Amino acid sequence: MLEFTTIPALRGWVFEQRTAGRRIGFVPTMGFLHEGHLRLVDEARRRTDAVAMSVFVNPLQFGPGEDLDRYPRDLPRDRALAAGRRVDALFVPEAAAIYPPGAEVLVVPGATADRWEGAVRPGHFTGVLTVVAKLFHLVAPDVACFGQKDIQQATLVRRMVRDLDWPVEIVVVPTVREPDGLALSSRNAYLGPEDRQQAVGLSAALRAGHDAWTAGERDASAIEAAMRARLAMFPGVRPEYISLVEPEALYPVAEALPGTIAMIAARVGSTRLIDNIILGQGLV
Ligand code: PAF
């Protein structure tokens, strides 16, 4: 695995791949890798000839008072995991390379970013889209893989690519879970033992919603009520939103159809967690 810290070095690698006629797959990450990230690599590898991964904790997507400073980092471990999964090029830029002094142009999403995560984290998706746009320009991928757990992020990246006519295929890869159902996330590292037990409430609530749907319930508010009832069994979980939405712009729906997304965000102790399932697919 090659590792690059500068933009010219990365661009040199990209040029070589293109010249050799190789299709490039890309997995952007903020590091502290887990099996969820590595499945994105597997998917990129399956679809392309050369896989690039970035590890960059993007300051622009963290609001004041969020966890930028304590976001978990372990580059040596990330390096070993990425190499073990046959990443070809690891890009680990300095913040100054991505945001040189005086940089002021941003990629500002539309109203789809104002709902759900965007409502609680103003500016978050501007930060995400700006860095993803920059990384797409640098890596020029044919395919980029994103995790389903951050479904609003994946939806917005897809919209950016569509609205700006970008020739990159966005692939959303199902969430990887612990055996008890907890969605893998770098932020799970913040959970103490008691919070970790309570955190399973999110996936349990999603499962309850999916069970209700599988049993024939189509009324979104009844399914949301089933989710809330299950979540109430986990007193350490404080829900922020529980909603059924359509997949294009994440508007709430009244009727739950196959493909409708059940989303949940909650605080467990001081940790904020999100999770979702797609009706008809369940907790894969
Ligand atoms: O999902 C993440 O880890 C980040 O939001 C991303 C896409 C790497 C952009 O910083």
Side-chain angles (χ1 to χ4, degrees):
M1 182 178 76
L2 299 171
E3 184 171 325
F4 305 113
T5 53
T6 68
I7 288 174
L10 173 70
R11 283 208 153 124
W13 178 83
V14 170
F15 181 75
E16 278 171 25
Q17 308 315 306
R18 292 264 162 250
T19 310
R22 294 191 195 106
R23 279 166 53 81
I24 298 176
F26 180 44
V27 178
T29 81
M30 297 207 300
F32 210 67
L33 301 180
H34 52 65
E35 183 60 24
H37 297 111
L38 301 176
R39 295 277 177 87
L40 304 182
V41 172
D42 294 347
E43 192 58 38
R45 171 150 301 291
R46 211 171 63 73
R47 292 166 179 262
T48 62
D49 310 305
V51 176
M53 171 188 272
S54 59
V55 170
F56 178 62
V57 181
N58 173 32
L60 201 60
Q61 69 189 72
F62 289 79
E66 288 190 353
D67 55 346
L68 173 62
D69 293 337
R70 65 180 192 119
Y71 194 84
R73 293 162 168 89
D74 189 344
L75 186 56
R77 187 172 156 275
D78 289 346
R79 208 175 262 140
L81 288 170
R85 227 44 174 247
R86 297 190 301 124
V87 167
D88 296 291
L90 189 68
F91 181 48
V92 190
E94 295 288 332
I98 297 293
Y99 301 116
E104 62 172 29
V105 175
L106 302 169
V107 179
V108 182
T112 305
D114 297 339
R115 297 182 261 287
W116 316 118
E117 288 307 287
V120 238
R121 307 183 67 189
H124 169 66
F125 289 119
T126 295
V128 170
L129 291 195
T130 301
V131 80
V132 170
K134 287 199 70 136
L135 292 167
F136 278 6
H137 274 299
L138 298 175
V139 178
D142 297 280
V143 172
C145 295
F146 290 82
Q148 184 191 318
K149 188 182 75 66
D150 296 302
I151 192 84
Q152 191 172 8
Q153 165 173 284
T155 305
L156 286 162
V157 169
R158 197 176 258 153
R159 289 185 78 100
M160 171 175 78
V161 160
R162 192 182 66 194
D163 291 357
L164 301 182
D165 300 308
W166 224 310
V168 47
E169 182 189 353
I170 304 302
V171 176
V172 180
V173 178
T175 303
V176 181
R177 298 178 180 281
E178 299 281 5
D180 66 1
L182 177 67
L184 295 195
S185 162
S186 304
R187 288 191 168 97
N188 292 351
Y190 299 150
L191 297 168
E194 277 181 24
D195 288 345
R196 170 63 187 82
Q197 280 184 356
Q198 292 290 308
V200 76
L202 279 84
S203 56
L206 291 172
R207 196 184 298 278
H210 201 266
D211 287 349
W213 186 79
T214 308
E217 183 61 76
R218 292 292 177 268
D219 178 34
S221 45
I223 295 172
E224 287 163 14
M227 292 167 65
R228 279 183 200 287
R230 181 63 56 86
L231 202 61
M233 295 174 179
F234 297 84
V237 182
R238 303 189 307 284
E240 283 190 353
Y241 60 74
I242 291 178
S243 193
L244 265 61
V245 301
E246 47 74 34
E248 268 299 299
L250 309 181
Y251 280 116
V253 294
E255 187 190 6
L257 302 169
T260 295
I261 301 165
M263 298 194 309
I264 184 165
R267 281 190 190 272
V268 184
S270 57
T271 308
R272 193 162 178 283
L273 298 175
I274 57 174
D275 200 354
N276 69 82
I277 48 163
I278 300 173
L279 295 182
Q281 292 182 8
L283 276 75
V284 255

